[in-house]
Amino acid sequence: MSPDLLKPLMDAVPMPLVLIGRNERVVVANASADGLFGVLENDRHYATVLRQPALLDCIEAALRGDTQQESQFVRRDATRDTTYRALAAPVRIDGRDGILLSLEDIGHVEAAGQMRRDFVANVSHELRTPLTAVLGFIETLQGPAREDSAAQDRFLEMMQREASRMSRLIQDLLSLSRVEATERQRPTGRIDVAALVTSASMTLGPLVRETGVTLDVRGADEAVEIPGDADQILQVITNLTENAIKYGGSSVTVELFAPERDPVLRATAVRIEVRDDGDGIDPIHIPRLTERFYRVDNHRSREMGGTGLGLAIVKHIVNRHRGRMRVESKAGQGSRFVVVLPHATGEGAVLGG
Ligand SMILES: Nc1ncnc2c1ncn2[C@@H]1O[C@H](COP(=O)(O)OP(=O)(O)O)[C@@H](O)[C@H]1O
Ligand SMILES: [Mg+2]
C-alpha cells in the first residue's frame, strides 16, 4: 500500500480518512483527517493519535475480526462539539490488509433532532396551557360552583374558549404537516387569485365587523390565473389578512397587482400585498416571524386566539409555489406583507428553507 499513490486520491475526498495497516500503524491520512487530528505522521501507532476510547475499540475490533465496525467520535473545541459517525472498514490493497477509518460529520442530524425536540416541547407547552385551564374549570364546576348557575355559564364559556384554542392549534399543526409533506411537489391546478382574494375577504367578514376595522380590497375585479393550489393560496391570503386585522390599526388593504416581471424570481409573477396602519413590527423581529410559535407579543397573540403558526404555514405554501414573501415594517408605521407568486408553470426560483 504505497502512501504516495494513495495520498492524492484520499486528499480529494472531503471526509476525514485514515488508512491503518495490519501492524496497527498509520499508513496514510488525508488532509481532512490532518485537519481533525493534527498532522498524522505515517508509521505511528494509531492509538497515539486517535485517542478516544470508543474509536480505538472500534478500530481494534475491525482489525481483529476483519469485519466492518461502527462507532461515534466527538470532536470538542472551545465553542462546540461536532459528532462524527466513525466507520472502520477492512480493506485489501496490493495484497496487504488494513482498516480504512472514515468519519462522517453528522452534526446536521443532531441539529434536526434538536429542532424536533424543541418543536415537541413547544407544542406540549401550547396544549398544556389551555388544558390546565379546562381542568381547573371542571374542578370548580364540580365543587364551589356546583349550585351557582350564573358561574356555571361563565365557566362553560371559558372552557369553550380554551377548547377552541386547542382545536385551532391541532388544525394548524395538521395544516403545517400537510404543507411540509407536499412542499417538494409542484401544485398541478390552475387557480384564480382574484377570486381567492375576494373569498378570503368574505370569510373574514365577521372578524371585520367584530373589530370595526375597514377592509379595502383592490385589483380583484378581473380573474388572474396562476398555477397553484386553491386551498393553500386561500390560506395564505386569509392568514395575512387576519393578522393585519388583528395586529394592525383601523384600516387594512388587500391589493392584487396584475402580472409583471419580478426581478428576484426572474419570471412573470403576480403580487399580493396586505397592508395595515397599525403599530408595525420592530425590524429585529422580522426575520423570525415565519418561525413556528414565534410571536412579537405573546400575550396579544394568545388574546387574539393566535396559534403562532400562521406565518410558518404561509412560508411553506409560498415556497411550494416557488414564490417569495417579503415583510416591510417600521415600528409605529404599519406593516406591508408582500407575496409574489410565479404566473406561469416552469418559472420561478427555488427557495431554500
Ligand atoms: N400585520 C401585523 N402587524 C403586526 N404584527 C404582526 C402582523 N402580522 C403578524 N404579526 C406578528 O407576527 C406574529 C406571528 O404571526 P402568526 O404566525 O400569524 O401567528 P399568530 O397570529 O397566531 O400569533 C404575531 O403574533 C404578531 O406578533
Ligand atoms: Mg396569525
Side-chain angles (χ1 to χ4, degrees):
M1 285 194 273
S2 153
D4 295 343
L5 273 177
L6 292 172
K7 174 86 173 144
L9 203 64
M10 285 167 58
D11 277 350
V13 178
M15 73 191 332
L17 297 174
V18 183
L19 183 63
I20 298 159
R22 194 128 297 283
N23 61 0
E24 302 185 353
R25 309 223 155 232
V26 173
V27 178
V28 58
N30 71 352
S32 175
D34 286 342
L36 192 61
F37 300 110
V39 176
L40 292 182
E41 279 165 48
N42 300 351
D43 245 18
R44 276 180 67 179
H45 194 277
Y46 71 85
T48 64
V49 280
L50 301 177
R51 297 224 170 96
Q52 282 189 8
L55 195 57
L56 300 182
D57 288 349
C58 163
I59 296 166
E60 202 199 316
L63 278 168
R64 213 180 33 239
D66 208 24
T67 53
Q68 180 167 302
Q69 301 288 327
E70 197 181 317
S71 161
Q72 282 205 346
F73 169 75
V74 182
R75 177 205 197 167
R76 297 181 203 287
D77 62 28
T79 53
R80 66 192 205 105
D81 291 352
T82 313
T83 308
Y84 291 84
R85 184 171 84 110
L87 207 66
V91 288
R92 171 174 276 264
I93 300 170
D94 273 352
R96 289 176 60 192
D97 294 339
I99 294 292
L100 181 66
L101 175 72
S102 60
L103 294 146
E104 180 191 1
D105 183 345
I106 53 168
H108 57 284
V109 179
E110 303 241 305
Q114 186 57 45
M115 262 177 78
R116 202 197 61 237
R117 286 189 290 277
D118 289 348
F119 182 62
V120 170
N122 270 324
V123 170
S124 312
H125 174 77
E126 297 284 339
L127 278 172
R128 197 180 50 196
T129 311
L131 192 59
T132 307
V134 168
L135 289 172
F137 294 141
I138 291 174
E139 221 167 88
T140 315
L141 285 174
Q142 286 171 332
R146 189 183 275 275
E147 311 297 339
D148 181 344
S149 73
Q152 284 173 358
D153 287 348
R154 211 172 60 246
F155 282 116
L156 282 172
E157 208 172 288
M158 291 193 277
M159 284 167 72
Q160 187 175 35
R161 206 175 50 229
E162 298 301 331
S164 310
R165 172 191 299 288
M166 287 192 270
S167 160
R168 265 196 311 276
L169 180 60
I170 304 283
Q171 226 168 335
D172 276 0
L173 285 169
L174 287 174
S175 237
L176 189 62
S177 93
R178 263 197 304 271
V179 175
E180 281 187 318
T182 58
E183 194 165 337
R184 312 236 162 258
Q185 292 160 29
R186 303 292 296 276
T188 51
R190 275 200 81 71
I191 58 173
D192 173 6
V193 186
L196 296 175
V197 167
T198 309
S199 162
S201 71
M202 308 256 268
T203 311
L204 292 168
L207 182 66
V208 169
R209 283 189 289 279
E210 191 187 310
T211 53
V213 169
T214 2
L215 176 62
D216 187 13
V217 177
R218 295 183 195 168
D221 307 318
E222 276 174 48
V224 181
E225 284 208 348
I226 63 163
D229 178 315
D231 289 341
Q232 291 189 343
I233 298 301
L234 180 64
Q235 203 170 4
V236 166
I237 304 165
T238 311
N239 284 0
L240 295 180
T241 313
E242 190 181 327
N243 280 350
I245 296 170
K246 291 193 308 193
Y247 309 115
S250 56
S251 93
V252 171
T253 307
V254 181
E255 185 161 5
L256 177 62
F257 293 86
E260 60 180 15
R261 191 166 171 79
D262 183 81
V264 179
L265 297 183
R266 278 183 273 147
T268 314
V270 298
R271 188 162 98 245
I272 307 161
E273 281 193 17
V274 180
R275 303 188 291 268
D276 67 66
D277 63 349
D279 295 340
I281 305 163
D282 191 309
I284 59 162
H285 295 294
I286 290 181
R288 301 196 58 189
L289 287 183
T290 57
E291 284 176 22
R292 299 153 176 192
F293 299 116
Y294 189 87
R295 296 143 159 144
V296 176
D297 181 339
N298 272 310
H299 181 72
R300 186 156 177 209
S301 162
R302 291 226 168 74
E303 205 166 44
M304 294 292 189
T307 59
L309 295 173
L311 292 177
I313 294 172
V314 166
K315 180 185 83 172
H316 286 288
I317 295 177
V318 171
N319 276 349
R320 181 184 179 213
H321 287 74
R322 308 226 176 156
R324 67 190 179 93
M325 177 165 82
R326 196 174 71 231
V327 184
E328 292 163 13
S329 184
K330 281 198 187 103
Q333 296 187 16
S335 316
R336 178 202 300 260
F337 285 73
V338 184
V339 167
V340 181
L341 298 168
H343 180 241
T345 332
E347 287 182 326
V350 184
L351 291 183

